[in-house]
Amino acid sequence: MTREDKEKGLWRSIFPINFKTYNTYHSEGHTGQYYMLPPAHIQKLFPYGLPPRFQLQIKTFNEGCVMVRPPALELISYLKRADYSKPPLRYVLYGDIGTGKTMSLCHALHYCYTQGWLIVHIPDAHLWVKNCKELLPSSSRPSRFDQPIQASQWLKNFKITNERFLSKVQLDRYVWTKRESTEKGQPLGELIDQGVNRMKSSSDVVGAVLRELRLQAGGATEGEGAFKLAVAVDGVNALWGKTSLKKEDRTMCEPEELTLIHNLRKMMKNNWSGGAILTALSQTGSVFKPRSAYLPNELLGEEGFDSMEPFVPVSVSNYNEKEFESCYLYYLDRNWLQHPHSRSEEGKKELIFLCNKNPSILERLCAAL
Amino acid sequence: MAASVRHLLKPWTPSLCFARWSRYNPYYLDPDPSKDARVPDSELSPEQKELQELKTVRPIKAALSSDTSSPFNDPLISKFINMMMQDGNKILARGIMTQTLETIKRKQVEKYHRSPAAKRLEIECNPYTIFQKALENCKPIIGLASVQKGGKSYQVPVPLTDNRRRFLAMKWLITECRDNKHRRTHMYEKLSQELLAAFANEGNVVKRKHDLHKMAEANRAYAHYRWW
């Protein structure tokens, strides 16, 4: 802990094995310790990105603390050492249900945010392939379908996260309808406003935004305009699985026929440069996948695996003893474990037995105690 | 007495199998699943030693499948879950109970973290103590029974047993939450609001208890109609 950390005020020392430090100084020695996310960053970066139970926890404890764990550290070390003049590396976080894939992804994304990257974050790709109330046939292409609500929601969140990049200049001319078009050289903010205001063309706006960012991310030669692009998608297996949406003639919709999914797939290909693609698999929101499937092969399917290959797999597993200890002490510190028996040694052994050191099950158990 | 009852202990298999009722011979003792039952002999008083002896000799009823040997098992909470259960859906009832305890704890812990250090000691965060205290505050001390005398029936104030008081408190809590709240709120939300109000001696259930007490006080004159 250096003097700079103390000045930044982002650390709090509670127990010898459990204290909080600033982001960039994370290393292997810090596993198991809790890192506090500044509230301003949470509001900006994660309007809808964090898991719902974690959002409840932030509200209850009045602070957002993330445990530093090996998968996230691995990801951050790769991001530090990657060469950004080459095509982007694809990282896939995989693991059993409730082991912390989304949280590790959010941790790595926060690192990117503090380094000043432009963040493209899709909190849950599964929400785009199921339960869609309005499925309009696309205005630009005949065989595609648009999802205006999801697209405009995503654009609003994108605007909140990347406010400083909104004055970027864009390249091409896009025509939306007979009377509306966006000219060359207009700032990105206007394009996004166009999508938010005109719901009909919002899915196409999303496609245009992604295309612009891909073309401009590699522009590292310009001094001020250079930025690195971080594409973070949670629930990547939704892009290549099945949807639960039906067309008007009651046949099932393929993911390829949805504009949003089609554009995202183009983003996943590594034919651009100057950034990284961070993804996490997810079985919980997936459609028509068995609960025991967690490996990339099973969840992505053949098509998905071939498109994502080559990728860097990062495995996320349950807590080990040190991490469990740290989590237990954190809950004690935050006055969360109230039952007198849970504070004893035997109670702790019972908790270990009941949850098998799975983070999400431990959280749900401790909530009721 | 025990000796006379004992001969009825012959294994009796009913011709019809009763699925719901468990009519045990009163000779059978209640099970005690907690781990504290295995305390070494030297630490027990003479009465407790006698009780231990009895347990080795007498038959014991079968334990319920909802009781665990873990100290996390609370008989009061189990009773409340059973009362909330509808159509035998114990999983749903238990889920609602855990969600209620979680909601109470979240509200209190949030209040704890947002208040200054001076006020923190007064805030009670343990949902189990809140539940017990709230139930205590809802229990009526005296009840009313309907007694018929001379063709007319009078509401006579009557003492209540402990079990009856606990039953009434739980029943009032559940019916209050089911009937008198907004339709679209979840049961665990309604319960947590009612329990926190009862903990502070406010709310509709405590009001109902007070109304009962007032009725009993008003009908004091008929107290001598009671013959038991």
Side-chain angles (χ1 to χ4, degrees):
Chain A
M1 251 186 307
T2 62
R3 198 157 59 89
E4 296 160 27
D5 299 337
K6 289 186 189 175
E7 280 165 28
K8 275 162 190 157
L10 283 168
W11 66 276
R12 224 171 14 103
S13 146
I14 328 166
F15 297 101
I17 66 164
N18 190 355
F19 61 89
K20 306 167 186 182
T21 59
Y22 192 53
N23 204 339
T24 36
Y25 304 108
H26 287 164
S27 64
E28 273 77 46
H30 292 146
T31 41
Q33 284 156 11
Y34 271 86
Y35 159 64
M36 192 157 80
L37 298 171
H41 287 192
I42 299 179
Q43 253 186 344
K44 279 218 152 178
L45 177 54
F46 296 125
Y48 282 94
L50 296 167
R53 289 208 65 106
F54 187 67
Q55 282 174 350
L56 276 179
Q57 189 179 300
I58 296 180
K59 189 165 164 263
T60 314
F61 293 168
N62 217 10
E63 64 175 13
C65 282
V66 176
M67 192 197 280
V68 175
R69 292 183 74 197
L73 283 177
E74 218 183 300
L75 253 188
I76 293 178
S77 69
Y78 291 155
L79 288 170
K80 277 185 194 167
R81 282 183 262 160
D83 184 359
Y84 291 110
S85 55
K86 302 223 179 91
L89 282 170
R90 287 180 281 222
Y91 307 98
V92 174
L93 284 162
Y94 71 96
D96 213 348
I97 297 178
T99 43
K101 303 180 284 287
T102 312
M103 287 306 296
S104 303
L105 187 70
C106 293
H107 188 163
L109 205 61
H110 184 250
Y111 168 77
C112 297
Y113 183 74
T114 47
Q115 301 295 307
W117 294 29
L118 196 147
I119 309 279
V120 170
H121 180 40
I122 290 109
D124 196 356
H126 292 298
L127 297 174
W128 288 359
V129 297
K130 54 181 185 176
N131 299 341
C132 182
K133 303 235 163 103
E134 279 183 26
L135 197 66
L136 306 172
S138 168
S139 41
S140 47
R141 267 155 267 247
S143 62
R144 297 250 192 92
F145 290 94
D146 270 358
Q147 287 154 302
I149 316 176
Q150 274 92 341
S152 53
Q153 175 84 67
W154 183 80
L155 282 170
K156 280 184 211 151
N157 293 339
F158 182 78
K159 201 166 150 181
I160 298 174
T161 314
N162 297 305
E163 267 184 65
R164 358 178 219 154
F165 291 103
L166 287 181
S167 51
K168 281 267 154 263
V169 179
Q170 55 158 27
L171 297 177
D172 279 337
R173 183 171 184 267
Y174 293 102
V175 179
W176 308 119
T177 59
K178 272 184 254 180
R179 272 162 250 160
E180 289 169 14
S181 62
T182 326
E183 299 302 324
K184 242 182 171 176
Q186 295 273 333
L188 200 64
E190 252 205 50
L191 189 58
I192 298 181
D193 286 328
Q194 165 80 30
V196 172
N197 296 334
R198 297 270 170 222
M199 295 274 265
K200 263 191 133 179
S201 48
S202 48
S203 317
D204 294 320
V205 168
V206 170
V209 163
L210 291 177
R211 184 165 165 271
E212 286 306 316
L213 293 173
R214 252 180 301 153
L215 292 172
Q216 295 205 15
T221 46
E222 313 159 43
E224 254 193 46
F227 63 87
K228 288 191 224 164
L229 183 60
V231 181
V233 186
D234 202 348
V236 182
N237 41 327
L239 299 183
W240 290 283
K242 296 188 209 170
T243 66
S244 68
L245 303 172
K246 289 193 182 159
K247 295 187 266 206
E248 275 169 3
D249 49 356
R250 301 227 199 126
T251 51
M252 291 303 272
C253 205
E254 295 295 313
E256 192 47 48
E257 290 173 14
L258 294 167
T259 333
L260 288 172
I261 307 289
H262 181 80
N263 291 322
L264 256 190
R265 279 199 202 180
K266 282 198 256 182
M267 203 68 184
M268 293 283 120
K269 286 192 228 168
N270 48 3
N271 48 9
W272 46 284
S273 67
I277 304 181
L278 314 161
T279 63
L281 298 175
S282 166
Q283 193 283 331
T284 34
S286 67
V287 193
F288 305 123
K289 287 278 176 205
R291 197 185 182 280
S292 53
Y294 73 95
L295 296 168
N297 204 2
E298 296 162 350
L299 281 177
L300 284 172
E302 275 212 42
E303 204 195 324
F305 201 86
D306 292 329
S307 342
M308 283 294 277
E309 200 159 28
F311 61 85
V312 178
V314 180
S315 150
V316 186
S317 58
N318 288 338
Y319 285 152
N320 56 20
E321 272 106 29
K322 189 176 160 205
E323 291 173 339
F324 180 86
E325 191 64 42
S326 168
C327 187
Y328 183 76
L329 287 170
Y330 176 63
Y331 285 150
L332 278 179
D333 167 62
R334 292 274 88 197
N335 210 6
W336 190 233
L337 286 173
Q338 287 288 329
H339 199 282
H341 180 70
S342 63
R343 296 184 180 200
S344 65
E345 271 307 307
E346 284 179 6
K348 204 163 121 187
K349 284 187 205 160
E350 242 188 86
L351 280 176
I352 297 181
F353 173 74
L354 284 172
C355 69
N356 197 20
K357 301 197 202 117
N358 183 304
S360 74
I361 298 187
L362 175 67
E363 201 261 312
R364 273 165 215 267
L365 274 181
C366 294
L369 289 178
Chain B
M1 198 279 283
S4 61
V5 175
R6 228 178 140 191
H7 76 273
L8 297 167
L9 257 191
K10 287 191 287 276
W12 171 72
T13 41
S15 46
L16 291 168
C17 203
F18 299 112
R20 297 278 169 94
W21 309 338
S22 65
R23 245 193 73 195
Y24 276 105
N25 190 315
Y27 193 60
Y28 282 64
L29 297 172
D30 277 320
D32 183 16
S34 66
K35 283 191 198 146
D36 300 331
R38 281 183 258 120
V39 178
D41 281 330
S42 50
E43 296 174 8
L44 298 174
S45 65
E47 300 136 351
Q48 283 174 325
K49 274 195 187 156
E50 232 189 87
L51 207 65
Q52 283 291 79
E53 297 269 317
L54 270 183
K55 281 188 188 172
T56 46
V57 174
R58 272 198 177 183
I60 304 182
K61 298 181 197 173
L64 294 172
S65 52
S66 53
D67 289 336
T68 39
S69 64
S70 148
F72 289 132
N73 174 31
D74 191 357
L76 200 65
I77 302 267
S78 305
K79 187 57 94 181
F80 194 74
I81 291 173
N82 284 340
M83 287 196 59
M84 252 205 308
M85 173 169 64
Q86 279 180 328
D87 300 329
N89 197 347
K90 179 88 121 201
I91 303 175
L92 186 61
R94 211 175 71 155
I96 295 176
M97 191 70 219
T98 37
Q99 281 172 321
T100 313
L101 293 171
E102 187 190 329
T103 323
I104 296 176
K105 193 160 71 147
R106 264 189 211 277
K107 287 186 188 166
Q108 294 295 94
V109 169
E110 204 180 321
K111 222 161 82 175
Y112 178 89
H113 284 304
R114 280 173 214 238
S115 61
K119 290 199 178 169
R120 280 187 177 183
L121 288 171
E122 299 160 356
I123 301 178
E124 174 63 56
C125 290
N126 190 342
Y128 294 87
T129 47
I130 292 182
F131 180 76
Q132 283 158 6
K133 184 92 201 321
L135 211 67
E136 276 299 318
N137 289 349
C138 291
K139 283 186 187 173
I141 304 176
I142 190 167
L144 289 173
S146 187
V147 171
Q148 261 219 338
K149 186 145 174 149
K152 221 176 128 190
S153 48
Y154 300 93
Q155 293 289 322
V156 174
V158 123
L160 297 169
T161 58
D162 252 337
N163 281 343
R164 178 79 187 151
R165 293 168 64 208
R166 185 186 63 181
F167 170 78
L168 279 175
M170 290 186 180
K171 190 79 182 171
W172 289 344
L173 264 174
I174 296 173
T175 41
E176 161 70 33
C177 287
R178 280 185 188 157
D179 303 333
N180 294 351
K181 300 274 187 178
H182 183 63
R183 180 182 70 92
R184 294 268 295 185
T185 34
H186 292 283
M187 184 67 178
Y188 63 84
E189 257 175 64
K190 297 188 250 193
L191 261 180
S192 63
Q193 285 168 8
E194 214 34 70
L195 281 170
L196 283 170
F199 181 68
N201 260 318
E202 309 156 340
N204 283 348
V205 192
V206 172
K207 184 166 159 303
R208 187 168 170 178
K209 172 189 92 158
H210 287 322
D211 289 341
L212 183 65
H213 286 175
K214 281 180 207 157
M215 279 279 284
E217 186 60 35
N219 286 7
R220 260 177 85 135
Y222 302 124
H224 65 284
Y225 282 175
R226 177 174 69 95
W227 66 86
W228 61 90

